[in-house]
């Protein structure tokens, strides 16, 4: 059974304070690890797909990396508009998310 | 990115009635669509996978006679909650998968439908 665990559950950052979100997974066969952003009361917004260990992808202040056991979402110099819940998924198994709050 | 619409965004219905939710991929063809439900402070739970022209595949514990899914075209899937009860109140989200190169794919989500059964 696929399992996805995200940490921390909540993270509060000052604007400009870089940090990383963790997603650890156990799967029978990885066919893609996905990162999404979800705002309150809305559907998730696709951010990245990673397929193999060592792969990295970037988009604005976000950078996702992948190893054989976990993925990190690095947020560089975050802004208040980056506040959201970030979800990690392997296939159709989703983690509970990390709720990020960026304080001005 | 690709756009997926969902209608209605909110619906309130009385216990025992049925509710239909539409999910459309607006600018791409989706051979596969997914339906999820999400309870407060919980993650998305896959309910069913729908392939165009085929019967939906339901996850364990999801009643197929209660949650009717129809994927009539490459851009439209519907979820009908039949004989709704208060415990069916939830946030329902659809998603459509777009195929990329070399077997890769991206998945795009609708904005969700808040169902409240009174």
């Amino acid at each position: 059974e696929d399992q996805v665990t995200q940490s921390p559950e909540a993270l509060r950052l000052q604007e400009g304070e870089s940090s990383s979100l963790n997603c650890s997974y156990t799967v029978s066969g990885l066919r893609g690890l996905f990162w999404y952003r979800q705002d309150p009361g809305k559907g998730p917004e696709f951010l990245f797909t990673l397929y193999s260990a060592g792969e990295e992808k970037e988009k604005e202040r976000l950078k996702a990396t992948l190893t054989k056991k976990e993925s990190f979402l690095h947020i560089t110099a975050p802004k208040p508009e980056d506040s959201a819940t970030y979800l990690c998924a392997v296939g159709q198994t989703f983690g509970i998310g990390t709720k990020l709050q960026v304080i001005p | 990115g690709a756009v997926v619409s969902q209608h209605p965004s909110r619906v309130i219905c009385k216990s025992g009635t049925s509710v239909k939710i539409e999910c459309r991929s607006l600018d791409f063809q989706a051979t596969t669509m997914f339906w999820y439900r999400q309870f407060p402070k919980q993650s998305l739970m896959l309910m069913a996978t729908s392939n165009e022209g085929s019967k939906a595949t339901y996850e364990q514990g999801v009643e197929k006679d209660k949650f009717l899914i129809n994927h009539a075209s490459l851009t439209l899937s519907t979820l009908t909650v039949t004989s709704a009860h208060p415990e069916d109140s939830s946030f329902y989200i659809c998603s459509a998968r777009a195929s990329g190169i070399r077997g890769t794919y991206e998945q795009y989500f609708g904005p969700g439908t808040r169902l409240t059964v009174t």
Side-chain angles (χ1 to χ4, degrees):
Chain A
E1 182 182 332
D2 296 350
Q3 288 191 338
V4 176
T5 304
Q6 290 188 247
S7 61
E9 287 191 12
L11 181 62
R12 201 169 182 216
L13 299 173
Q14 290 291 327
E15 184 172 1
E17 180 186 1
S18 301
S19 188
S20 297
L21 313 182
N22 177 264
C23 171
S24 61
Y25 63 91
T26 55
V27 296
S28 55
L30 183 65
R31 290 184 293 173
L33 183 141
F34 303 83
W35 282 100
Y36 301 92
R37 168 191 170 128
Q38 186 175 24
D39 292 298
K42 302 210 175 157
E45 174 190 344
F46 172 80
L47 293 175
F48 304 108
T49 311
L50 301 167
Y51 287 96
S52 56
E55 189 174 0
E56 298 183 352
K57 288 191 177 174
E58 286 187 69
K59 180 181 179 181
E60 297 181 354
R61 295 177 292 282
L62 301 176
K63 178 180 178 180
T65 61
L66 181 66
T67 72
K68 288 185 178 179
K69 294 183 179 179
E70 58 191 350
S71 176
F72 291 94
L73 184 65
H74 307 277
I75 302 177
T76 302
K79 298 182 177 182
E81 53 263 41
D82 294 323
S83 297
T85 295
Y86 290 84
L87 300 173
C88 169
V90 173
Q92 299 304 321
T93 302
F94 285 74
I96 199 167
T98 294
K99 185 174 182 179
L100 174 66
Q101 184 182 15
V102 182
I103 312 296
Chain B
V3 178
V4 175
S5 72
Q6 209 171 319
H7 178 80
S9 58
R10 291 177 182 272
V11 57
I12 301 173
C13 70
K14 292 188 176 180
S15 187
T17 62
S18 295
V19 174
K20 180 185 281 190
I21 303 170
E22 288 189 354
C23 176
R24 293 180 185 272
S25 57
L26 297 185
D27 51 2
F28 67 99
Q29 293 185 329
T31 54
T32 304
M33 287 186 170
F34 305 90
W35 287 95
Y36 306 82
R37 59 191 299 180
Q38 187 176 33
F39 292 104
K41 297 187 179 181
Q42 292 188 26
S43 191
L44 278 73
M45 295 297 294
L46 179 67
M47 297 175 67
T49 302
S50 165
N51 290 297
E52 186 263 339
S54 302
K55 289 185 178 179
T57 302
Y58 290 81
E59 294 299 300
Q60 191 173 9
V62 177
E63 299 175 56
K64 59 180 68 176
D65 294 329
K66 182 170 185 61
F67 298 100
L68 301 179
I69 291 172
N70 183 278
H71 193 160
S73 75
L74 287 172
T75 59
L76 173 64
S77 177
T78 60
L79 168 68
T80 301
V81 183
T82 62
S83 187
H85 288 95
E87 57 265 31
D88 298 325
S89 299
S90 187
F91 192 50
Y92 292 86
I93 308 174
C94 73
S95 175
R97 187 155 73 185
S99 296
I101 58 173
R102 287 176 292 198
T104 64
Y105 66 89
E106 296 176 352
Q107 197 166 319
Y108 299 94
F109 287 79
T113 296
R114 174 73 59 193
L115 170 63
T116 303
V117 185
T118 61

